[in-house]
Amino acid sequence: MGLGNPGPRYVKTRHNVGADVVALLAERQGERLRPGKELAWTAEVKVEGKRLALAFPQTFMNESGRSVARLVRRFKVDDLTRLLIVHDELDLALGVVRVKAGGGLAGHNGLRSIKAWLRSDEFLRVRIGIGRPPGGKEGGIDHVLSVPSRLDRRTLEMAVATAADAVETVLAEGVAVAQNEFNSRQPPDAPFNSD
């Protein structure tokens, strides 16, 4: 599941990097996301012989769980470690990509909604750093919903490609291998970050 907000107003904003990853994964397999019944755009693809269901919830971010719960039922996901959520992360530096299994939500309203609907936070995550706003937490909403500068956009586009690679690695080799491979990487031209 790639999180974001629906509609043209939010295309290419920081908050929609998760949706960008899912669209890229579909494109890599010659597919595209299409409207579905579960309040989401979906596609089913095969990556190295394994079935991968891709989705971009069409609820707003804060209500992502409504769509995700329907998609979990549709695709018969009975083990939440087979559910991977790709999302933006304010607590990571711009362009940093991290793979995570379960755990805290870091104040992310989309993840909070998903946990409430699924009654669990055991799902996997690929987190894409969008950095903190210059004015601190007070500017958070404006920051996540804004279109980044050209330079920041290039960094995020590279991060989206890296995050798509991370999803494919989780599918092919498992979350532990993906964590080892991606959690020590730094974004291009970024200073050392120990997150």
Side-chain angles (χ1 to χ4, degrees), residues 76-147:
K76 298 176 176 61
V77 179
D78 51 2
D79 174 1
L80 290 183
T81 63
R82 294 181 55 224
L83 171 63
L84 193 152
I85 308 294
V86 187
H87 64 91
D88 61 306
E89 179 73 59
L90 279 168
D91 290 336
L92 292 176
L94 184 74
V96 169
V97 174
R98 295 289 181 262
V99 179
K100 183 177 179 183
L105 308 178
H108 194 287
N109 290 330
L111 296 180
R112 187 176 293 131
S113 174
I114 293 167
K115 179 180 178 178
W117 278 85
L118 299 182
R119 295 187 176 95
S120 174
D121 61 4
E122 294 305 307
F123 46 85
L124 307 179
R125 301 100 192 257
V126 172
R127 304 155 60 214
I128 302 171
I130 60 169
R132 285 254 171 223
K137 274 191 172 179
E138 295 74 34
I141 292 174
D142 290 338
H143 181 67
V144 299
L145 296 179
S146 67
V147 175

Side-chain angles (χ1 to χ4, degrees), residues 17 20-22 24-25 28 84 86 94-99 125-129 154-170 178-179 181-188:
V17 292
D20 294 344
V21 170
V22 167
L24 176 59
L25 286 163
R28 285 180 177 181
L84 193 152
V86 187
L94 184 74
V96 169
V97 174
R98 295 289 181 262
V99 179
R125 301 100 192 257
V126 172
R127 304 155 60 214
I128 302 171
R154 278 208 330 253
T155 300
L156 286 173
E157 286 169 355
M158 289 185 279
V160 163
T162 300
D165 295 343
V167 171
E168 291 175 343
T169 301
V170 170
Q179 286 175 313
E181 182 174 340
F182 293 92
N183 288 4
S184 60
R185 286 188 186 183
Q186 295 300 309

Side-chain angles (χ1 to χ4, degrees), residues 4-13 16 19 41 56-60:
N5 284 314
R9 154 76 179 89
Y10 302 101
V11 171
K12 301 297 179 194
T13 62
N16 274 39
W41 289 12
F56 168 25
Q58 294 298 290
T59 55
F60 281 93

Side-chain angles (χ1 to χ4, degrees), residues 1 3 38-39 57 59 63-73 83 85 114 117-118:
M1 311 288 172
L3 300 189
E38 296 79 18
L39 304 173
T59 55
E63 296 188 15
S64 297
R66 282 195 317 142
S67 175
V68 171
R70 293 178 186 203
L71 290 159
V72 162
R73 281 193 301 276
L83 171 63
I85 308 294
I114 293 167
W117 278 85
L118 299 182

